Amino acid sequence: VEAYNVEPFQKRPGSRASVFTAEEQPLLRPLPQTAYEISRWVYGRRVGRNGHVVWEKNFYSVPFAHVGALVDLRITDRVLQAYRGTARLSSHLLLPPDAANEYRTND
C-alpha cells in the first residue's frame, strides 16, 4: 500500500501521500473523549401532575414548571433524559429492569 501511495499521479503533480500530508492531515481532529452511545428516542410523553414522566413502569422527574407539557425522552443503556424542544430538562440514571412503580426525583 505504501508503494501505491507514493507513486506519482498521471495527470497532476504529487502523489496520494503528498496530498494527504499537505492538504488532509492538517484537517484531522482527535477522536471524541466519550464513546458513541446508541440512544432511543420516545416522543410526546406528557408530564404528569406529580411532575414525573412514566418510562417502563417507573417515574422520572421533570421540573415542575413543565407539568402537563409534552416532552421527548432520550434513553440510553444507563440514562434517561427529558427534552422539551432542544432544551434538556432533566437527566436520571435508569432504574433496574426489574423495578416497578419506583421514582427518580431531582430536587
Side-chain angles (χ1 to χ4, degrees):
V1 174
E2 188 174 329
Y4 181 72
N5 286 335
V6 296
E7 189 177 306
F9 288 125
Q10 292 180 0
K11 298 182 181 179
R12 69 182 243 196
S15 65
R16 287 174 179 80
S18 66
V19 169
F20 173 75
T21 304
E23 299 175 18
E24 297 171 358
Q25 194 170 22
L27 300 175
L28 292 177
R29 293 184 292 173
L31 293 172
Q33 293 296 321
T34 58
Y36 178 79
E37 258 188 320
I38 294 176
S39 62
R40 183 167 134 190
W41 285 85
V42 177
Y43 299 99
R45 288 287 175 121
R46 188 167 306 279
V47 179
R49 290 182 186 173
N50 63 358
H52 290 74
V53 291
V54 178
W55 173 250
E56 293 186 344
K57 300 179 184 178
N58 293 302
F59 301 88
Y60 298 90
S61 70
V62 175
F64 193 74
H66 302 283
V67 168
L70 295 177
V71 296
D72 303 328
L73 303 179
R74 178 180 179 261
I75 300 107
T76 65
D77 290 338
R78 302 175 299 127
V79 177
L80 178 137
Q81 298 171 331
Y83 286 85
R84 188 165 184 197
T86 58
R88 185 175 68 192
L89 304 176
S90 64
S91 181
H92 299 278
L93 291 175
L94 279 177
L95 288 161
D98 58 340
N101 296 318
E102 292 190 27
Y103 285 80
R104 286 281 169 132
T105 305
N106 291 340
D107 292 337

Coordinates of all heavy atoms in Angstrom, one line a residue, residues 51-101:
G51 N -45.3 15.9 38.4 CA -44.0 16.3 37.9 C -43.1 15.2 37.4 O -41.9 15.4 37.3
H52 N -43.7 14.1 37.0 CA -42.9 12.9 36.6 C -43.4 12.4 35.2 O -44.6 12.6 34.9 CB -42.9 11.8 37.6 CG -42.2 12.1 38.8 ND1 -42.7 12.9 39.8 CD2 -41.0 11.6 39.3 CE1 -41.8 13.0 40.8 NE2 -40.8 12.2 40.5
V53 N -42.5 11.8 34.4 CA -42.9 11.1 33.2 C -42.7 9.6 33.5 O -41.9 9.2 34.3 CB -42.1 11.5 32.0 CG1 -42.4 13.0 31.6 CG2 -40.6 11.4 32.2
V54 N -43.5 8.8 32.8 CA -43.5 7.4 33.0 C -42.7 6.8 31.9 O -42.8 7.1 30.7 CB -44.9 6.8 33.0 CG1 -44.9 5.3 33.2 CG2 -45.8 7.4 34.1
W55 N -41.8 5.9 32.3 CA -41.0 5.1 31.4 C -40.8 3.7 32.0 O -40.3 3.5 33.0 CB -39.6 5.7 31.1 CG -38.8 4.8 30.2 CD1 -37.7 4.2 30.6 CD2 -39.0 4.5 28.9 NE1 -37.2 3.4 29.5 CE2 -38.0 3.6 28.5 CE3 -40.0 4.8 27.9 CZ2 -37.9 3.1 27.2 CZ3 -39.9 4.3 26.7 CH2 -38.9 3.4 26.3
E56 N -41.3 2.7 31.3 CA -41.2 1.3 31.7 C -41.7 1.1 33.1 O -40.9 0.6 33.9 CB -39.8 0.7 31.4 CG -39.5 0.6 29.9 CD -38.2 -0.1 29.6 OE1 -37.4 -0.2 30.5 OE2 -38.0 -0.4 28.5
K57 N -42.8 1.6 33.5 CA -43.5 1.4 34.8 C -42.8 2.1 35.9 O -43.0 1.8 37.1 CB -43.6 -0.1 35.1 CG -44.5 -0.9 34.1 CD -44.5 -2.3 34.5 CE -45.3 -3.1 33.5 NZ -45.3 -4.5 33.8
N58 N -41.9 3.1 35.6 CA -41.2 3.8 36.6 C -41.4 5.3 36.3 O -41.8 5.7 35.2 CB -39.7 3.5 36.7 CG -39.6 2.1 37.2 OD1 -40.0 1.7 38.3 ND2 -38.9 1.2 36.4
F59 N -41.1 6.2 37.3 CA -41.4 7.6 37.2 C -40.1 8.4 37.3 O -39.3 8.1 38.3 CB -42.4 8.0 38.3 CG -43.7 7.3 38.3 CD1 -43.8 6.1 38.9 CD2 -44.7 7.8 37.5 CE1 -45.0 5.4 38.9 CE2 -46.0 7.1 37.5 CZ -46.1 5.9 38.1
Y60 N -39.9 9.3 36.4 CA -38.7 10.2 36.4 C -39.1 11.6 36.4 O -40.0 12.0 35.6 CB -37.9 9.8 35.1 CG -37.4 8.4 35.1 CD1 -38.2 7.4 34.5 CD2 -36.2 8.0 35.7 CE1 -37.7 6.1 34.5 CE2 -35.7 6.7 35.7 CZ -36.5 5.8 35.1 OH -36.1 4.5 35.0
S61 N -38.5 12.4 37.3 CA -38.9 13.8 37.5 C -38.5 14.7 36.4 O -37.5 14.5 35.7 CB -38.4 14.3 38.8 OG -37.0 14.5 38.7
V62 N -39.4 15.8 36.2 CA -39.1 16.9 35.3 C -39.4 18.1 36.1 O -40.3 18.1 37.0 CB -40.1 16.7 34.1 CG1 -40.0 17.9 33.1 CG2 -39.8 15.5 33.3
P63 N -38.8 19.3 35.8 CA -39.1 20.5 36.6 C -40.6 20.8 36.6 O -41.3 20.6 35.6 CB -38.3 21.6 35.9 CG -37.1 20.8 35.3 CD -37.7 19.5 34.9
F64 N -41.1 21.2 37.8 CA -42.5 21.4 38.0 C -43.1 22.4 37.0 O -44.3 22.3 36.7 CB -42.7 21.8 39.4 CG -44.1 21.8 39.9 CD1 -44.7 20.5 40.1 CD2 -44.9 22.9 40.0 CE1 -46.0 20.4 40.5 CE2 -46.3 22.8 40.4 CZ -46.8 21.6 40.6
A65 N -42.4 23.3 36.5 CA -42.9 24.3 35.5 C -43.4 23.6 34.3 O -44.2 24.3 33.5 CB -41.8 25.3 35.2
H66 N -43.0 22.4 34.0 CA -43.4 21.7 32.8 C -44.5 20.7 32.9 O -44.8 19.9 32.1 CB -42.2 21.0 32.2 CG -41.1 22.0 31.9 ND1 -41.1 22.8 30.8 CD2 -39.9 22.3 32.6 CE1 -40.0 23.6 30.8 NE2 -39.3 23.3 31.9
V67 N -45.2 20.7 34.1 CA -46.4 19.8 34.3 C -47.4 20.0 33.2 O -47.8 21.1 32.9 CB -47.0 20.1 35.7 CG1 -48.3 19.4 35.8 CG2 -46.0 19.6 36.8
G68 N -47.8 18.9 32.6 CA -48.8 18.9 31.5 C -48.2 19.1 30.2 O -48.9 18.9 29.2
A69 N -47.0 19.4 30.1 CA -46.3 19.6 28.8 C -45.9 18.3 28.1 O -45.8 17.3 28.8 CB -45.1 20.5 28.9
L70 N -45.7 18.3 26.8 CA -45.2 17.1 26.1 C -43.7 17.2 26.1 O -43.2 18.3 25.7 CB -45.8 17.0 24.7 CG -47.3 16.8 24.6 CD1 -47.8 16.8 23.2 CD2 -47.7 15.5 25.3
V71 N -43.0 16.1 26.4 CA -41.6 16.1 26.4 C -41.1 14.9 25.6 O -41.9 13.9 25.4 CB -41.0 16.1 27.8 CG1 -41.3 17.3 28.6 CG2 -41.4 14.8 28.6
D72 N -39.9 14.9 25.1 CA -39.3 13.8 24.4 C -38.3 13.2 25.3 O -37.6 13.9 26.1 CB -38.6 14.3 23.1 CG -39.5 15.1 22.2 OD1 -40.7 14.7 22.2 OD2 -39.1 16.0 21.5
L73 N -38.2 11.9 25.3 CA -37.2 11.1 26.1 C -36.1 10.5 25.3 O -36.4 9.9 24.3 CB -38.0 10.0 26.9 CG -39.2 10.4 27.8 CD1 -39.8 9.2 28.4 CD2 -38.7 11.4 28.8
R74 N -34.9 10.7 25.8 CA -33.7 10.1 25.1 C -33.3 9.0 26.1 O -32.9 9.4 27.3 CB -32.6 11.1 24.9 CG -31.4 10.5 24.3 CD -30.3 11.5 24.0 NE -29.1 11.0 23.5 CZ -28.0 10.7 24.2 NH1 -28.0 10.9 25.5 NH2 -27.0 10.1 23.6
I75 N -33.3 7.8 25.7 CA -32.9 6.7 26.6 C -31.7 5.9 26.1 O -31.7 5.5 24.9 CB -34.1 5.7 26.7 CG1 -35.3 6.4 27.3 CG2 -33.7 4.5 27.7 CD1 -36.4 6.6 26.3
T76 N -30.7 5.8 26.9 CA -29.5 5.0 26.6 C -29.5 3.8 27.5 O -30.5 3.6 28.2 CB -28.2 5.8 26.8 OG1 -28.0 6.1 28.1 CG2 -28.2 7.1 25.9
D77 N -28.4 3.1 27.5 CA -28.3 1.9 28.4 C -28.3 2.3 29.9 O -28.7 1.5 30.7 CB -27.0 1.1 28.1 CG -27.1 0.4 26.8 OD1 -28.2 0.2 26.3 OD2 -26.0 0.1 26.2
R78 N -27.9 3.5 30.2 CA -27.7 3.9 31.6 C -28.6 5.1 32.0 O -28.8 5.3 33.2 CB -26.3 4.2 31.9 CG -25.3 3.1 31.6 CD -23.8 3.5 31.8 NE -23.5 4.6 30.9 CZ -22.9 5.7 31.2 NH1 -22.7 5.9 32.5 NH2 -22.7 6.6 30.3
V79 N -29.0 5.9 31.0 CA -29.5 7.2 31.4 C -30.8 7.5 30.7 O -31.0 7.1 29.5 CB -28.5 8.3 31.0 CG1 -29.0 9.7 31.3 CG2 -27.2 8.2 31.8
L80 N -31.7 8.2 31.3 CA -32.9 8.7 30.7 C -32.9 10.3 30.8 O -32.6 10.8 31.9 CB -34.2 8.2 31.4 CG -35.5 8.8 30.9 CD1 -36.5 7.7 30.8 CD2 -36.0 9.9 31.7
Q81 N -33.0 11.0 29.7 CA -33.0 12.4 29.7 C -34.3 12.9 29.1 O -34.8 12.3 28.1 CB -31.9 12.9 28.8 CG -30.5 12.6 29.3 CD -29.4 12.9 28.4 OE1 -29.6 12.9 27.2 NE2 -28.2 13.2 29.0
A82 N -34.9 14.0 29.7 CA -36.1 14.5 29.2 C -35.8 15.9 28.5 O -35.1 16.7 29.0 CB -37.1 14.8 30.3
Y83 N -36.4 16.0 27.3 CA -36.1 17.3 26.5 C -37.5 17.9 26.2 O -38.5 17.2 25.9 CB -35.4 16.9 25.2 CG -34.0 16.6 25.3 CD1 -33.6 15.3 25.6 CD2 -33.0 17.6 25.1 CE1 -32.2 15.0 25.7 CE2 -31.7 17.3 25.2 CZ -31.3 16.0 25.5 OH -29.9 15.7 25.6
R84 N -37.5 19.2 26.1 CA -38.6 20.0 25.5 C -38.0 20.8 24.5 O -37.3 21.8 24.7 CB -39.3 20.8 26.6 CG -40.5 21.4 26.1 CD -41.4 21.9 27.2 NE -42.7 22.4 26.7 CZ -43.5 23.2 27.3 NH1 -43.2 23.6 28.6 NH2 -44.6 23.7 26.8
G85 N -38.3 20.5 23.2 CA -37.6 21.1 22.1 C -36.1 20.7 22.1 O -35.8 19.5 22.2
T86 N -35.2 21.7 22.1 CA -33.8 21.4 22.2 C -33.2 21.5 23.6 O -32.0 21.3 23.8 CB -33.0 22.3 21.2 OG1 -33.2 23.6 21.6 CG2 -33.4 22.0 19.8
A87 N -34.1 21.9 24.6 CA -33.6 22.1 25.9 C -33.7 20.8 26.8 O -34.8 20.3 26.8 CB -34.4 23.2 26.6
R88 N -32.6 20.4 27.4 CA -32.7 19.3 28.3 C -33.2 19.7 29.6 O -32.7 20.6 30.2 CB -31.3 18.6 28.4 CG -31.4 17.3 29.3 CD -30.1 16.6 29.3 NE -29.2 17.4 30.1 CZ -27.9 17.2 30.2 NH1 -27.3 16.2 29.5 NH2 -27.1 18.0 30.9
L89 N -34.3 19.1 30.0 CA -34.9 19.4 31.3 C -34.4 18.7 32.5 O -34.3 19.2 33.6 CB -36.5 19.2 31.2 CG -37.2 19.9 30.0 CD1 -38.6 19.5 30.0 CD2 -37.0 21.4 30.2
S90 N -34.1 17.4 32.3 CA -33.6 16.6 33.4 C -32.9 15.4 32.9 O -33.0 15.0 31.7 CB -34.8 16.1 34.3 OG -35.6 15.3 33.6
S91 N -32.1 14.8 33.8 CA -31.3 13.6 33.4 C -31.3 12.7 34.6 O -31.1 13.1 35.8 CB -29.9 14.0 33.1 OG -29.1 12.9 32.7
H92 N -31.6 11.4 34.4 CA -31.6 10.4 35.5 C -30.9 9.1 35.1 O -31.0 8.7 33.9 CB -33.1 10.1 35.8 CG -33.9 11.2 36.2 ND1 -33.9 11.7 37.5 CD2 -34.8 12.0 35.5 CE1 -34.8 12.7 37.6 NE2 -35.3 12.9 36.4
L93 N -30.3 8.5 36.1 CA -29.9 7.1 35.9 C -31.1 6.2 35.8 O -32.0 6.4 36.6 CB -29.0 6.6 37.0 CG -27.6 7.3 37.1 CD1 -26.9 6.9 38.4 CD2 -26.8 7.1 35.9
L94 N -31.1 5.3 34.9 CA -32.2 4.4 34.7 C -32.3 3.4 35.9 O -31.3 3.0 36.5 CB -32.1 3.5 33.5 CG -32.5 4.2 32.2 CD1 -32.2 3.2 31.0 CD2 -33.9 4.6 32.2
L95 N -33.5 3.2 36.3 CA -33.8 2.2 37.3 C -33.6 0.8 36.7 O -33.7 0.6 35.5 CB -35.2 2.3 37.9 CG -35.4 3.6 38.7 CD1 -36.9 3.9 38.8 CD2 -34.8 3.3 40.1
P96 N -33.3 -0.2 37.6 CA -33.1 -1.6 37.0 C -34.3 -2.1 36.3 O -35.4 -1.7 36.6 CB -32.8 -2.4 38.3 CG -32.5 -1.5 39.4 CD -33.1 -0.2 39.0
P97 N -34.1 -3.0 35.4 CA -35.2 -3.5 34.6 C -36.3 -4.2 35.4 O -37.5 -4.2 35.0 CB -34.6 -4.5 33.6 CG -33.2 -4.2 33.6 CD -32.8 -3.6 34.9
D98 N -36.0 -4.8 36.5 CA -37.0 -5.5 37.4 C -37.7 -4.5 38.3 O -38.6 -4.9 39.1 CB -36.3 -6.6 38.2 CG -35.2 -6.1 39.1 OD1 -34.6 -5.0 38.8 OD2 -34.8 -6.8 40.0
A99 N -37.4 -3.2 38.3 CA -38.0 -2.2 39.2 C -39.4 -1.9 38.6 O -39.5 -1.8 37.4 CB -37.2 -1.0 39.4
A100 N -40.4 -1.6 39.5 CA -41.7 -1.2 39.0 C -42.2 -0.2 40.1 O -42.1 -0.4 41.3 CB -42.6 -2.3 38.9
N101 N -42.9 0.9 39.6 CA -43.5 1.9 40.4 C -42.6 2.6 41.3 O -42.9 2.9 42.5 CB -44.7 1.3 41.2 CG -45.8 0.8 40.3 OD1 -46.1 1.5 39.3 ND2 -46.3 -0.4 40.6

